[in-house]
Amino acid sequence: MKKKVLCTVMILVLLLAAAVSAYAETGIQPRDTDSVTFVTNRTGRTTADVAVSVSFTEVVDRYSIIIYLQKKENGEWVNDWQNEEYVFFNNGSKKETFLFGNTYTHLSEGVIYRIKCVSKDYIGDSTFIFTTYSNQF
């Protein structure tokens, strides 16, 4: 069993090394949205606290962040259009980090939710879009 795990780890390391090498040779610039971190806490049957942190790899010229409240409906994730807080927009400039926090109220009891974050940032003539999702709550 240990031998199998060791072989799997070695294969993953070799694949990662090959990918990094190929990536470095292409000259492609990395995305400017470096990471998006979510903290979600269902505080009651109809309430939840949400925090989102978006970090850019450098100070961006401009950015647009859209935060959507989504619910699971018939096995699909959809925007919760019925909740008045289903979307938040923030536009700004000359930042390296964007922080968002909200207490969602009027959630439907027994419904599963998640947050969708769309980060669009601009550096010079380049535009980068990064979409990510929180864990469900």
Side-chain angles (χ1 to χ4, degrees):
M1 181 67 176
K2 287 183 182 181
K3 194 174 192 180
K4 189 175 185 178
V5 171
L6 182 60
C7 286
T8 303
V9 169
M10 288 179 64
I11 289 170
L12 290 173
V13 167
L14 290 172
L15 287 173
L16 181 61
V20 168
S21 175
Y23 180 78
E25 290 175 12
T26 62
I28 297 172
Q29 294 297 314
R31 282 201 166 120
D32 291 299
T33 298
D34 186 40
S35 67
V36 178
T37 305
F38 297 95
V39 177
T40 58
N41 183 23
R42 189 80 178 244
T43 55
R45 293 187 315 252
T46 60
T47 58
D49 290 332
V50 171
V52 181
S53 172
V54 178
S55 297
F56 306 110
T57 56
E58 60 184 278
V59 175
V60 295
D61 295 333
R62 293 182 299 126
Y63 67 86
S64 296
I65 308 287
I66 307 172
I67 307 288
Y68 295 98
L69 175 65
Q70 294 189 316
K71 64 181 178 179
K72 200 163 202 176
E73 190 173 88
N74 298 323
E76 301 281 331
W77 288 104
V78 297
N79 292 338
D80 188 4
W81 306 108
Q82 296 170 339
N83 191 306
E84 62 189 40
E85 298 176 309
Y86 82 92
V87 65
F88 287 94
F89 298 94
N90 187 281
N91 298 308
S93 61
K94 304 298 181 195
K95 294 250 181 159
E96 195 169 0
T97 303
F98 166 77
L99 301 174
F100 167 82
N102 188 49
T103 298
Y104 286 93
T105 56
H106 309 296
L107 301 179
S108 297
E109 195 171 335
V111 174
I112 298 171
Y113 291 91
R114 75 175 180 184
I115 299 298
K116 175 182 178 181
C117 176
V118 179
S119 169
K120 186 174 185 180
D121 53 86
Y122 310 85
I123 296 178
D125 293 333
S126 299
T127 302
F128 303 91
I129 299 174
F130 186 74
T131 301
T132 190
Y133 305 89
S134 73
N135 291 331
Q136 60 189 32
F137 57 92

